[in-house]
């Protein structure tokens, strides 16, 4: 009976250790560098409007060759100039004057990622499962000018495996915020007007690099 108990204990320990290794195998960490810009009253939709530096880090968990979860944390700068906008700015605030702005922001979000092609960060063949376009959608928080606000991030990108356990990616992300005061200008609002389009957006385009935190062979050796 004692030998059976010892055998069960050893087997359970190996199984739990193997599961932890498998989880680590699917986990990657890295950083990103991007150009951030804002879309709002001074810039209704122009891409790469007065871009500024955005840097951050990420942690990703791979469920399969197609699906994953990613957590992002970063910060950057946003700028805007009303003199560059040729349209008419309306406000309910008497005497409100649009002014140029330059402010830092920080954000954190979690996104579910879906790949269009199978992607394997542990492959050694540069032509097999080494590249995949993807999109991601999630939710997060931003902080700027002393106040937090919610955001909904949507991103499109392409990732590529140049080396074993190394992934490079390019990404264009759009964050719809629930804040109309990033640029210091609040749109005119009436009781019967739709206000869904009044909130400002934060966008960035750039590249990132990640590294798998555990080697695949460690996991399979323990199975």
């Amino acid at each position: 009976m004692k030998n059976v108990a010892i055998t069960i204990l050893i087997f359970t320990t190996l199984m739990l250790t193997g599961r932890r290794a498998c989880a680590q195998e699917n986990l990657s960490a890295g950083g990103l560098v991007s150009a951030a810009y804002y879309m709002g009253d001074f810039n209704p939709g122009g891409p790469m409007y007065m871009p500024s530096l955005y840097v951050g880090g990420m942690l990703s968990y791979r469920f399969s060759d197609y699906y994953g979860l990613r957590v992002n944390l970063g910060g950057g700068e946003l700028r805007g100039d009303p003199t560059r906008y040729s349209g008419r700015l309306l406000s309910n605030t008497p005497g409100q004057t649009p002014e140029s702005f330059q402010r830092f922001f920080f954000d954190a979000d979690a996104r579910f990622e879906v790949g269009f092609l199978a992607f394997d960060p542990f492959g050694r063949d540069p032509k097999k499962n080494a590249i995949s376009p993807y999109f991601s959608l999630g939710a997060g928080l931003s902080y700027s000018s002393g106040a937090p606000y919610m955001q909904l991030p949507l991103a499109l990108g392409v990732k590529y495996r140049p080396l074993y356990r190394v992934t490079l990616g390019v990404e264009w992300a759009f964050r719809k915020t629930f804040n109309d005061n990033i640029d210091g200008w609040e749109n005119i609002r009436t009781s019967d007007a739709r206000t869904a389009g009044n909130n400002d957006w934060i966008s960035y385009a750039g590249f990132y690099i990640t590294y798998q935190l555990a080697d695949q062979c460690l996991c399979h050796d323990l199975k």
Side-chain angles (χ1 to χ4, degrees), residues 149-164:
Y149 45 89
M150 289 188 62
Q151 48 135 317
L152 296 177
L154 168 67
L156 300 173
V158 178
K159 54 187 177 182
Y160 171 67
R161 183 199 67 235
L163 299 171
Y164 185 72

Side-chain angles (χ1 to χ4, degrees), residues 8-55:
I8 293 175
L9 178 61
I10 294 175
F11 179 77
T12 303
T13 302
L14 290 175
M15 286 293 294
L16 292 176
T17 305
R19 288 179 181 177
R20 284 197 298 270
C22 288
Q24 292 175 359
E25 172 192 281
N26 293 323
L27 197 63
S28 63
L32 61 90
V33 178
S34 304
Y37 64 98
Y38 119 101
M39 293 186 295
D41 300 307
F42 304 162
N43 175 40
M48 302 308 292
Y49 168 89
M50 302 182 68
S52 299
L53 180 65
Y54 176 91
V55 296

Side-chain angles (χ1 to χ4, degrees), residues 104-162:
F104 289 97
F105 74 97
F106 303 93
D107 57 28
D109 64 67
R111 303 181 214 158
F112 183 72
E113 183 178 298
V114 178
F116 295 103
L117 298 173
F119 181 81
D120 182 9
F122 295 105
R124 298 185 184 273
D125 186 344
K127 296 182 180 181
K128 184 178 179 180
N129 297 341
I131 187 169
S132 176
Y134 66 87
F135 78 92
S136 62
L137 181 67
L141 288 173
S142 293
Y143 183 88
S144 179
S145 300
Y149 45 89
M150 289 188 62
Q151 48 135 317
L152 296 177
L154 168 67
L156 300 173
V158 178
K159 54 187 177 182
Y160 171 67
R161 183 199 67 235

